[in-house]
Amino acid sequence: TQLLEQSPQFLSIQEGENLTVYCNSSSVFSSLQWYRQEPGEGPVLLVTVVTGGEVKKLKRLTFQFGDARKDSSLHITAAQPGDTGLYLCAGENYGGSQGNLIFGKGTKLSVKP
Amino acid sequence: NAGVTQTPKFRILKIGQSMTLQCAQDMNHNYMYWYRQDPGMGLKLIYYSVGAGITDKGEVPNGYNVSRSTTEDFPLRLELAAPSQTSVYFCASSYSTGWAGSYNEQFFGPGTRLTVL
């Protein structure tokens, strides 16, 4: 069974601080996605990384896919209250069922003004 | 485009009752999914469909049924509601060829919060 472990589970920081969220597995994924979910809403895709070692930037968010395609990280610079939400990583493996996603349990981020 | 829509947004059921959660998408996506989300447990796949007329079980299918008669609609049926089915249910859709280079980027609906008492 493929598993994605996310850490930390909860993170509460002050506005302006930096943070990193991790997503780890013992399995290799063909691609890995990051979603953000706000309370009462569905997850929204932030980014997809597909190549080992790939780094993608989305404004203050930096996403990295591990060289072995087993892990990923999300770094937020100068966090703002608008970054508050649940961050989910999801891995896709073509060896699995029809390209279904395996989701981590999420990191709940709270950024205080 | 409305994207992925779900109805109802909230529902309270009594044990043993049945209901259908509706899901529709207007993006001409071939793949559709039903997930449940419990506190601290992430998203668990209930059923999925790769096209009209084709459905398959996910990780937690027991107590649920689905059908996919059109590309747009993917209803989820609960036949005999149980307290263990209290959860938030999300429908999602994506376009994927299933081949390398086609990434299963999913679009989610706003969710249905179901309570079974």
Side-chain angles (χ1 to χ4, degrees), chain A residues 9 30-31 33 35 37 40-45 47-48 50 86 88 92 94 97-101 103-106, chain B residues 9 31 33 35 37 40-43 45 48 50 90 96 98-111:
Chain A
Q9 191 176 356
S30 59
S31 68
Q33 300 169 21
Y35 292 80
Q37 183 179 17
E41 299 181 10
V44 175
L45 179 68
V47 78
T48 300
V50 301
L86 179 69
L88 295 160
E92 181 174 18
Y94 286 108
S97 302
Q98 301 286 350
N100 287 343
L101 295 179
F103 279 87
K105 293 182 179 180
Chain B
K9 193 152 180 69
Y31 284 36
Y33 306 83
Y35 294 92
Q37 186 176 40
M41 297 302 293
L43 289 161
L45 183 64
Y48 67 97
V50 302
F90 289 100
S96 178
W99 294 99
S102 176
Y103 307 112
N104 193 7
E105 297 171 337
Q106 297 186 8
F107 292 78
F108 285 81

Side-chain angles (χ1 to χ4, degrees), chain A residues 29-60:
Chain A
F29 292 99
S30 59
S31 68
L32 198 133
Q33 300 169 21
W34 285 92
Y35 292 80
R36 179 168 66 209
Q37 183 179 17
E38 299 188 18
E41 299 181 10
V44 175
L45 179 68
L46 296 173
V47 78
T48 300
V49 285
V50 301
T51 305
E54 181 177 5
V55 176
K56 279 192 174 178
K57 291 193 175 184
L58 186 66
K59 296 183 182 178
R60 295 174 293 99

Side-chain angles (χ1 to χ4, degrees), chain B:
Chain B
N1 287 351
V4 179
T5 57
Q6 291 184 239
T7 56
K9 193 152 180 69
F10 302 95
R11 184 73 186 267
I12 298 175
L13 283 181
K14 294 182 179 178
I15 294 172
Q17 286 185 320
S18 61
M19 77 164 293
T20 299
L21 283 66
Q22 301 292 345
C23 174
Q25 55 92 9
D26 62 359
M27 296 174 283
N28 203 30
H29 285 170
N30 51 348
Y31 284 36
M32 293 188 76
Y33 306 83
W34 275 106
Y35 294 92
R36 60 177 288 171
Q37 186 176 40
D38 301 314
M41 297 302 293
L43 289 161
K44 296 203 171 182
L45 183 64
I46 304 171
Y47 271 95
Y48 67 97
S49 169
V50 302
I54 306 170
T55 63
D56 209 343
K57 296 177 181 178
E59 184 183 358
V60 289
N62 291 344
Y64 307 94
N65 277 300
V66 294
S67 59
R68 182 105 181 263
S69 56
T70 67
T71 300
E72 295 79 19
D73 301 297
F74 192 40
L76 177 71
R77 178 92 178 149
L78 282 71
E79 289 295 348
L80 291 169
S84 61
Q85 293 178 305
T86 293
S87 189
V88 182
Y89 291 84
F90 289 100
C91 179
S93 71
S94 67
Y95 181 77
S96 178
T97 64
W99 294 99
S102 176
Y103 307 112
N104 193 7
E105 297 171 337
Q106 297 186 8
F107 292 78
F108 285 81
T112 293
R113 184 175 293 274
L114 175 67
T115 302
V116 182
L117 300 173

